[in-house]
Amino acid sequence: MDETRYLSVAWEMFSQSTFLIPRLNGFPYYHKSPLLFWMIIGMWKLFAVNDFLPRLIPLFFSIANLVMVHRISFLLWAGNHKIPKVASLMLATCPVWIFFSSAIMFDMVLTFWVLLYPWGILLAWENRFVGWVVVGLGCGLLTKGPVIFVHVLPCILFYMKVSPIYWN
């Protein structure tokens, strides 16, 4: 039900060239932020309107999420190179993950922007500034709205509490 609704919103934005405000059945659709709709429209403009190409968006972000899990676990367990591979493999073989990897929904896209936070904080912990945290916040807001703060605020507060870099 959600997939058809999201494709309908993207189709209406595409067919009526109203790219700023998502619409469903002629009415503004304020329930979701527009980033996924913009990506679907971009795929349609580049290639053609069909139902297969929008499924590549969550699949791409699913693969990117596996890479992020690998990088985060590599930073957490720097001495052990087996754990990042096992963590990514465990996530990739989870049935729920496989289902959502092809579902036209906001979950995989939002997960990617949320995973940028622990990765950025771990890099900042090593005295390497990373601007991806800001990018993740902006794109997270465009993906799902203010719910991004529910996911990333604990990471930010933890970093502010224990980071020797933040207090120096």
Side-chain angles (χ1 to χ4, degrees):
M1 186 168 100
D2 290 335
E3 288 182 304
T4 55
R5 183 181 320 118
Y6 299 151
L7 284 174
S8 297
V9 171
W11 171 250
E12 196 161 333
M13 290 173 69
F14 178 78
S15 64
Q16 296 180 1
S17 297
T18 56
F19 302 115
L20 291 179
I21 299 174
R23 296 186 152 311
L24 181 62
N25 296 327
F27 296 104
Y29 186 71
Y30 295 119
H31 301 91
K32 300 292 181 185
S33 298
L35 186 64
L36 180 65
F37 305 132
W38 290 342
M39 287 190 279
I40 293 170
I41 292 168
M43 294 289 277
W44 286 342
K45 282 192 174 285
L46 286 175
F47 302 106
V49 175
N50 59 40
D51 62 340
F52 173 73
L53 285 174
R55 293 195 185 279
L56 294 179
I57 295 168
L59 181 62
F60 168 77
F61 279 98
S62 172
I63 294 168
N65 288 332
L66 293 173
V67 170
M68 290 301 296
V69 166
H70 185 274
R71 288 184 178 192
I72 290 168
S73 57
F74 183 78
L75 289 172
L76 287 173
W77 291 278
N80 191 340
H81 296 290
K82 195 177 202 179
I83 291 177
K85 293 175 186 173
V86 171
S88 297
L89 183 63
M90 286 176 62
L91 183 59
T93 57
C94 181
V96 174
W97 188 264
I98 294 169
F99 169 75
F100 279 103
S101 293
S102 65
I104 304 170
M105 298 176 77
F106 292 85
D107 300 317
M108 287 296 164
V109 182
L110 180 66
T111 303
F112 178 75
W113 304 123
V114 169
L115 284 175
L116 281 176
Y117 272 84
W119 182 61
I121 286 172
L122 288 169
L123 287 178
W125 193 273
E126 296 179 344
N127 288 326
R128 294 187 290 177
F129 176 73
V130 91
W132 292 111
V133 173
V134 176
V135 171
L137 181 62
C139 292
L141 282 169
L142 286 174
T143 300
K144 193 84 170 190
V147 76
I148 187 81
F149 292 113
V150 172
H151 301 293
V152 302
L153 199 56
C155 291
I156 295 169
L157 293 175
F158 175 76
Y159 180 72
M160 289 172 58
K161 176 78 174 162
V162 299
S163 172
I165 300 164
Y166 183 79
W167 294 109
N168 290 334

